[in-house]
Structure formats: C-alpha cells, structure tokens
Amino acid sequence: MRKRIQESQVGVLFRVFWLRVIDLDLMSADADASRLTQQFATVLITVSLFLALPVLLSGGHRLSLESGWTAEHLFIETTMTIAGLIAALNWDSAFPDRLDVLVLSTLPVRDRTLLLVKISAMFAVPILAMISFNIFLGVAWPVLFISGNGGLSGVLRSWCAYWTTSFFAGSFMVFTTIAIHGLAANLLPRRFFLRISALLQASTLCLLLCLYFLEPSLESVAALTAQRNQYVLAWLPSYWFLGLFQQLNGSMHPALISLATRAWVGLATSFACASASRLLYYFRMLPKIIE
C-alpha cells in the first residue's frame, strides 16, 4: 500500500514538473504547455525527416572520410545545441523554487522523491527533443557511416554508436548548464545570485548560439592535426564527441584519439560537477528559498 502511494506521488509530481519545465509566465493565459511541447517535437521530427531525405533518395552510398566527418559533426553539434538551449531556457526549473517548497513541504512527500522527480522532469524535455531531432536522420544517416566491410553488424554498430554519442553529447550540454547554474547558486550570495541569474542565463544562450553558428569547420585530417588548431579544438566539445563516435563506431582515425579522450573526461567532469552542485544546493540552499 505504501509503495502504491509513493508510485502515485511520483506520477503526479512528474506530470506537474513536466508541465512547469516551460515557464508559464512566458505563455498566454489560454496556452497549453503539453500542446506546446507536442508542437515543438513535431517541428523537430519534420526537420529530421527532411534531413533524412537525401539519404533515401541517393540510395545509401557510403561517404568519403571527410564528407562523413562533416555530416557526423553537423548532426552531433545540432543535437548538443538543441539540448543545451532547452536546458538554458529551463534555467530555473533545475532546482526547486519557493512554490515547490511552500506547497510540497506540507504534504507527505519525501525530500528524496522530490529531488529525483525534479531531475527526471528536467531531463525529460531535452531527451524528447534529442529523440525527435534524430528519429529519422538517426536511422538513415548511420548507414553511410559504417566502418569496415559493412554488413548487418556494421549497420547495427553504427546505429548504436550514433545514438549513444548523441545521448552523451546532449547530456554533456545539460550537465554543463546545470553545473554553471549550481556553482553560481552555491558560490554567490543568495540575493546577488538572484540578481544576476537572468544575465547568466542570457549569456549561456548567447554562447551556445555563437558556438553553433561561428564554430570553425575543421572536419579534415589536415585541420584536425594542425598544431595551430589544437588549442581551438580543446574548447570545442562538438569535435570531442565526433571523436567519441568514431571510437564507438570502430572507425577511429589517429587524429581523433585525443578528442575522444576529451569527450569521456568532459562528460565525467560535467556529470560530477552537476551532481555535486545540485546536491549541495538542495541540502544547503533549500531553507533559504523560503527566506
């Protein structure tokens, strides 16, 4: 009986937090958050379909090395940007707000349940967006990225490598955004953080858009191995996960080995920073939210 009650609490809280991931103050009075989410997913699915059409019309001919890198990097970078933008737009939904504390503290809801459901709802929207964007192109394009002699095993490995890389790349952006928010909330005085929170959010959004549109094109062996580009590559996570995809796909080139290593290190670091800052904020700052 107690387990059923807890499961019911989780379901209700997840739905509430899911619908509140989008800032209701930015919507019109008669707007529906769930319908807006469905429309957003439909747009991404349509984009995915159009991006998959060239593969379907071309008959699935394998790409050259550098052409394959260009396509892989484009899709990975776009997935990362979508996940990062959603996480940044949902800046305040990463942590319980004053309404959550005032309402739910009077109910028989465990703090652990509140924390886990809040995390799940916050990650659900970026995951939905990543799946929607890759639902068609993530099936069609990996056929062109297979390594070795190909065959069914090569196609399955390419699919698994692409979807795993896309999930890790998007998760890295979400973790990084949460870490920035959490570190600022823990290190800065509460009142000062509330004043500059909007500025940090806007700066994060601008940085993501600038990286996406102004990032240099380095999808070639000469560019990736050039000494003058190594410092730039060290600060461009999309190329890290390009190397990670090649590693998982079994098509690793020596020029991408260091980038794959940076991807694993960056993913682990962002996860650790996001987890630590979130837990610290939850247990240290929760009483101050009411104040």
Side-chain angles (χ1 to χ4, degrees), residues 197-209:
S197 179
L199 179 60
L200 287 176
Q201 181 184 20
S203 300
T204 303
L205 290 170
C206 292
L207 178 61
L208 290 172
L209 292 174

Side-chain angles (χ1 to χ4, degrees), residues 91-92 94-95 176-186 193 197 277 281:
W91 183 264
D92 293 326
F95 300 99
T176 302
T177 303
I178 294 176
I180 294 173
H181 184 278
L183 291 174
N186 284 289
F193 167 73
S197 179
S277 62
Y281 181 93

Side-chain angles (χ1 to χ4, degrees), residues 77-253:
E77 182 186 21
T78 305
T79 301
M80 294 177 67
T81 303
I82 291 173
L85 289 175
I86 292 176
L89 288 172
N90 303 326
W91 183 264
D92 293 326
S93 67
F95 300 99
D97 56 18
R98 183 166 51 186
L99 180 62
D100 297 331
V101 176
L102 291 176
V103 174
L104 298 177
S105 61
T106 61
L107 300 177
V109 180
R110 295 181 177 180
D111 293 342
R112 180 178 60 185
T113 302
L114 176 62
L115 176 62
L116 293 178
V117 176
K118 193 75 173 178
I119 294 174
S120 301
M122 195 269 174
F123 272 89
V125 178
I127 290 175
L128 174 63
M130 289 188 287
I131 294 176
S132 300
F133 176 72
N134 290 289
I135 192 169
F136 288 114
L137 70 86
V139 175
W141 279 92
V143 177
L144 309 184
F145 302 152
I146 57 177
S147 61
N149 297 325
L152 180 60
S153 60
V155 173
L156 292 176
R157 180 171 184 176
S158 182
W159 277 339
C160 293
Y162 179 81
W163 281 95
T164 302
T165 303
S166 297
F167 176 77
F168 284 166
S171 299
F172 168 80
M173 298 303 295
V174 176
F175 290 146
T176 302
T177 303
I178 294 176
I180 294 173
H181 184 278
L183 291 174
N186 284 289
L187 297 177
L188 299 176
R190 176 69 180 170
R191 292 184 178 180
F192 183 68
F193 167 73
L194 293 176
R195 292 178 181 176
I196 69 168
S197 179
L199 179 60
L200 287 176
Q201 181 184 20
S203 300
T204 303
L205 290 170
C206 292
L207 178 61
L208 290 172
L209 292 174
C210 289
L211 282 176
Y212 184 75
F213 290 107
L214 302 178
E215 188 174 74
S217 179
L218 304 174
E219 301 94 348
S220 66
V221 177
L224 292 173
T225 56
Q227 188 63 34
R228 66 179 182 275
N229 294 331
Q230 298 310 306
Y231 180 79
V232 177
L233 290 171
W235 292 94
L236 296 178
S238 59
Y239 286 97
W240 305 352
F241 288 93
L242 173 63
L244 178 60
F245 171 74
Q246 300 299 324
Q247 185 182 64
L248 297 177
N249 194 37
S251 53
M252 176 62 78
H253 190 278

Side-chain angles (χ1 to χ4, degrees), residues 3-72:
K3 184 177 181 181
R4 290 182 179 178
I5 294 176
Q6 187 174 2
E7 290 176 353
S8 177
Q9 288 178 348
V10 171
V12 173
L13 288 174
F14 181 83
R15 177 172 175 79
V16 171
F17 289 150
W18 163 274
L19 296 178
R20 287 179 52 200
V21 165
I22 302 172
D23 192 351
L24 300 180
D25 294 334
L26 301 178
M27 301 172 60
S28 60
D30 58 345
D32 186 353
S34 61
R35 182 180 299 176
L36 179 61
T37 304
Q38 294 172 5
Q39 293 172 347
F40 180 69
T42 302
V43 171
L44 292 178
I45 291 173
T46 304
V47 173
S48 179
L49 177 60
F50 277 104
L51 291 175
L53 286 178
V55 179
L56 301 177
L57 297 177
S58 66
H61 298 291
R62 295 181 63 178
L63 301 174
S64 62
L65 179 65
E66 296 185 357
S67 297
W69 285 359
T70 302
E72 293 159 10

